[in-house]
Amino acid sequence: MTIPTEPIGSIPRPLRLIAAVAGGDGADPRLDPLYDEAVRDTIERFEATGSPVITDGEQRKFQNFWTYSVEGLPNTAPEGFQIPFSAGHTRRMPRLTAGPFRYKRYADSYLEVALRHAHVPVKQAVISPSALSLMYPPEELPGYPREQFIHDLLHEHETEVRSCLRKGAHKVQIDFTEGRLAVKIDPSGVSFTASST
């Protein structure tokens, strides 16, 4: 008896790729063969498990799974919201400095590479708009209110999801990474609702 399953989450990158990315710019086109090799290997290993749906293990998201879509935007600063991880390290979100908000890259570009190697359906992971909403600073940006940012953010997210589906994703997984962060901030797990009284 087999139980249908599918992978969720990132897969560690090969040491050769880690060393190459650490030695310079992760977007350097000379690294493309190493990324391609890592994607191909990940897909082959997932397919060997018999999983009916696979992923690329997020091998090309060298920035990280949280900010791949916005890394390097010219209207951001590096000292944004700090995210603590249980392993002891932290990451910082880029901070939006001005509007408009647009993605720099969409996940469908990763999907295109994965589909070249896959022989079974491919699921594409994308970051949630609620995670990226942490880019907007606590104080309102002049000429770019939070409401407009949220509108633009949702438009970009919808564009990304639709593009992945249009290009052949079996499904799109929305990474709700900030869920763990919310529990860390409020470990009670209690849900609060507004009272009308």
Side-chain angles (χ1 to χ4, degrees):
M1 172 186 225
T2 59
I3 299 172
T5 185
E6 60 187 56
I8 295 175
S10 304
I11 298 298
R13 291 176 183 85
L15 292 177
R16 227 162 59 108
L17 178 55
I18 291 170
V21 170
D25 178 8
D28 186 335
R30 291 175 294 184
L31 296 177
D32 284 350
L34 290 177
Y35 284 122
D36 200 54
E37 179 185 324
V39 169
R40 181 189 47 74
D41 180 62
T42 300
I43 287 174
E44 284 177 0
R45 289 173 185 250
F46 272 141
E47 288 182 339
T49 69
S51 181
V53 177
I54 58 151
T55 75
D56 66 356
E58 301 189 290
Q59 295 294 321
R60 287 213 59 132
K61 293 179 181 174
F62 66 89
Q63 305 88 352
N64 66 61
F65 63 92
W66 199 307
T67 62
Y68 70 87
S69 60
V70 296
E71 199 70 39
L73 284 177
N75 57 337
T76 62
E79 72 283 355
F81 188 86
Q82 185 168 301
I83 306 149
F85 286 83
S86 57
H89 67 289
T90 61
R91 286 200 177 124
R92 279 202 178 272
M93 291 289 290
R95 178 177 55 82
L96 194 67
T97 57
F101 175 80
R102 299 289 183 265
Y103 283 12
K104 185 166 184 178
R105 68 187 52 79
Y106 297 101
D108 65 317
S109 62
Y110 307 125
L111 176 67
E112 287 174 351
V113 175
L115 288 172
R116 289 201 299 259
H117 300 290
H119 302 93
V120 297
V122 176
K123 172 177 68 174
Q124 181 59 54
V126 301
I127 194 61
S128 70
S130 52
L132 292 177
S133 72
L134 296 171
M135 292 179 63
Y136 195 92
E139 66 285 350
E140 190 160 292
L141 293 172
Y144 193 59
R146 181 178 296 275
E147 293 75 19
Q148 184 61 48
F149 163 72
I150 295 298
H151 177 272
D152 292 345
L153 170 59
L154 292 175
H155 179 268
E156 289 296 277
H157 175 71
E158 180 183 352
T159 298
E160 180 175 54
V161 170
R162 287 183 183 277
S163 184
C164 288
L165 293 171
R166 190 170 40 254
K167 288 188 178 177
H170 174 69
K171 60 177 73 169
V172 176
Q173 169 191 311
I174 301 171
D175 288 342
F176 182 54
T177 305
E178 70 282 13
R180 287 176 294 195
L181 177 62
V183 170
K184 195 176 288 188
I185 292 169
D186 176 16
S188 71
V190 175
S191 175
F192 293 96
T193 57
S195 172
S196 59
T197 56

